[in-house]
Amino acid sequence: MQDSPISPKIGFVSLGCPKALVDSEQILTQLRAEGYETAKSYDGADLVIVNTCGFIDAAVQESLDAIGEALHENGKVIVTGCLGAKKDAQGLDMIRTIHPKVLEVTGPHALTEVMAAVHKHLPKPHDPFLDLVPAQGVKLTPKHYAYLKISEGCNHRCSFCIIPSMRGDLVSRPIAELMLEAENLFKAGVKELLVISQDTSAYGVDVKFRMGFWNGKPVKTHMTQLVEALGELAKQYGAWVRLHYVYPYPHVDQIIPHMQEGLILPYLDVPLQHAHPDVLKRMKRPASGEKNLDRIQAWRKMCPDLTIRSTLIAGFPGETEAEFSYLLDFLKEAEIDRLGCFAYSPVDGATANLLANPVPEEVREERRGRVMELQEQISKKRLQAKVGTTMRVLLDEVTRQGGVGRSSADAPEIDGVVYVKAPYEPHKKLIVGEFIDVKVTTSDAHDLWAEPI
């Protein structure tokens, strides 16, 4: 009897945002489908794939360092992701200029090109009996939550951003394909589905909200109908649906009632970036500050438990002290629950670099610090209001002291957590990936502490 062929092993390094993580999952799923195995170390790998990020300087450096390490430790490296699409000041391929020994370089969302490179440099022995991929594909997240990327690219041309030049214009995935993927994830035990894209609110714009079908019923390729369908599907499995990268367009108002009803989580990740109309105009953002404040207040009226997360940029070129003060006043009014703030960082290829009156680096950092200082006070106040309330928590980790989980207000890895005390009853156990109802006992500026009910 002939021995089975030995499957080639591929090491994988995944960097960047959740959208890049989904690209990595798709590549790994295809590798598994074709019989490749993944290696846990450089030593055990026949080849290494590095999925890079190229959005800001720190991410570029991290990606270049990871490529250098893979080359040093292994020698056979294929590079994919956003950095693969970047050129240097001379218009040359940045990665090949710095790391000329890489085997191949592709841009983001390039499954076909990556697989062609793998086939070229590490051909797989044929084995007709291999079928190693579960219906939900290969996931890099824990078993109980997963990302669902609903579209690729973006139609906006924000002056600080180079993503459209790397990932192209908006391309929405067919709604039936998304629903099938979501169903397979829920069947596999996923308890929380995180919907991501560059612009979730614009889903379907590129295909003029074409009619699709799911379970024999017509469903439009539109954010509101997708969210409703996902919520109904998740309800069958007792699972959560969380929305990310939601621009505050008027039709977002239509999904807030679904949050109040419990169909999807009362959570919106809204990338505001600033509040002053003139700064937003220089940023080429698609919304004004006054309307955003009105909209946030209207959303909270419709759904009092709504959690809003956002990101801001401090020290954008031309930002005056008056414009920055306006941003602080907006924050005091809006009371954003979860906030990340970045000091403006010039990105190669971004048109914002050409704007007049750049803000000195020390001022940018000082302003970022003032935003986060104010946000700490806001967060502390809003979390303090939850003490004494009950909530449902999804457990991510179990320790000797109890467990670490997240409420509807907490997205994985970017928001706070809920520390859950071990149950008093010995027969009750905390289980990773399961929901538990708790009563909040203490809070600080970021996290909550609670006891099982």
Side-chain angles (χ1 to χ4, degrees), residues 101-117:
K101 291 184 179 178
V102 296
L103 300 175
E104 304 283 346
V105 178
T106 82
H109 200 55
L111 174 62
T112 304
E113 293 90 333
V114 171
M115 292 310 300

Side-chain angles (χ1 to χ4, degrees), residues 334-403:
E335 291 198 336
I336 303 296
D337 299 87
R338 304 291 196 186
L339 185 75
C341 182
F342 302 92
Y344 173 75
S345 171
V347 177
D348 286 343
T351 57
N353 300 340
L354 307 174
L355 292 171
N357 304 315
V359 179
E361 186 176 357
E362 62 272 19
V363 177
R364 284 182 255 152
E365 288 295 340
E366 184 265 341
R367 287 179 182 174
R368 187 195 74 84
R370 282 160 68 190
V371 168
M372 294 316 294
E373 193 177 326
L374 172 59
Q375 179 58 30
E376 187 157 339
Q377 297 168 24
I378 293 168
S379 180
K380 191 173 183 179
K381 173 189 161 189
R382 293 189 71 80
L383 289 178
Q384 175 65 36
K386 296 185 180 187
V387 173
T389 64
T390 59
M391 60 177 56
R392 174 151 280 205
V393 168
L394 180 60
L395 287 169
D396 289 330
E397 183 186 349
V398 172
T399 66
R400 285 184 180 181
Q401 292 74 35

Side-chain angles (χ1 to χ4, degrees), residues 145-314:
Y145 69 82
Y147 294 100
L148 181 71
K149 183 159 66 168
I150 65 172
S151 62
E152 190 60 60
C154 183
N155 287 344
H156 300 304
R157 294 297 181 265
C158 301
S159 60
F160 56 82
C161 181
I162 57 170
I163 284 174
S165 68
M166 295 189 286
R167 289 184 173 258
D169 287 338
L170 177 76
V171 179
S172 300
R173 292 177 60 194
I175 197 158
E177 183 182 296
L178 290 174
M179 294 305 298
L180 180 60
E181 184 176 334
E183 185 176 50
N184 285 332
L185 289 167
F186 290 138
K187 283 179 178 176
V190 164
K191 298 292 176 66
E192 179 181 9
L193 195 66
L194 299 109
V195 176
I196 59 168
S197 66
Q198 302 296 342
D199 180 358
T200 295
S201 307
Y203 174 68
V205 166
D206 55 312
V207 293
K208 298 183 170 62
F209 309 120
R210 179 192 301 146
M211 189 67 76
F213 289 88
W214 168 246
N215 276 350
K217 294 178 185 175
V219 190
K220 266 189 182 178
T221 308
H222 190 283
M223 179 213 186
T224 55
Q225 295 206 18
L226 172 65
V227 166
E228 191 172 346
L230 286 173
E232 293 288 356
L233 181 63
K235 189 163 66 172
Q236 297 172 34
Y237 294 88
W240 285 351
V241 174
R242 187 185 299 276
L243 303 181
H244 285 275
Y245 311 110
V246 179
Y247 280 71
Y249 303 149
H251 65 259
V252 175
D253 297 359
Q254 298 168 35
I255 66 172
I256 306 299
H258 295 317
M259 296 180 174
Q260 178 64 13
E261 294 157 13
L263 195 66
I264 59 173
L265 290 182
Y267 179 100
L268 277 180
D269 174 5
V270 187
L272 297 171
Q273 309 303 4
H274 211 279
H276 196 285
D278 293 344
V279 179
L280 289 168
K281 193 174 177 182
R282 293 197 295 275
M283 288 181 168
K284 297 189 176 174
R285 297 294 283 170
S288 72
E290 301 99 321
K291 286 181 184 173
N292 286 343
L293 184 57
D294 291 345
R295 186 146 280 132
I296 287 168
Q297 290 170 341
W299 289 342
R300 286 209 173 115
K301 214 168 188 177
M302 284 190 275
C303 181
D305 289 336
L306 177 66
T307 295
I308 297 175
R309 133 161 290 281
S310 192
T311 49
L312 297 176
I313 297 173

Side-chain angles (χ1 to χ4, degrees), residues 323-344:
E323 288 169 343
F324 178 69
S325 295
Y326 185 101
L327 174 62
L328 294 180
D329 289 340
F330 167 84
L331 260 187
K332 289 171 190 170
E333 283 279 318
E335 291 198 336
I336 303 296
D337 299 87
R338 304 291 196 186
L339 185 75
C341 182
F342 302 92
Y344 173 75

Side-chain angles (χ1 to χ4, degrees), residues 93-107:
D93 186 319
M94 177 186 280
I95 290 172
R96 287 203 181 278
T97 302
I98 296 170
H99 294 300
K101 291 184 179 178
V102 296
L103 300 175
E104 304 283 346
V105 178
T106 82

Side-chain angles (χ1 to χ4, degrees), residues 55-121:
F55 185 45
I56 59 174
D57 291 348
V60 169
Q61 193 55 54
E62 182 187 24
S63 294
L64 291 172
D65 290 346
I67 296 166
E69 181 182 347
L71 282 168
H72 180 263
E73 297 292 335
N74 183 279
K76 294 182 74 175
V77 178
I78 291 170
V79 177
T80 186
C82 289
L83 190 59
K86 282 197 96 171
K87 306 294 181 187
D88 63 16
Q90 285 73 45
L92 302 172
D93 186 319
M94 177 186 280
I95 290 172
R96 287 203 181 278
T97 302
I98 296 170
H99 294 300
K101 291 184 179 178
V102 296
L103 300 175
E104 304 283 346
V105 178
T106 82
H109 200 55
L111 174 62
T112 304
E113 293 90 333
V114 171
M115 292 310 300
V118 170
H119 296 152
K120 176 180 172 183
H121 296 283

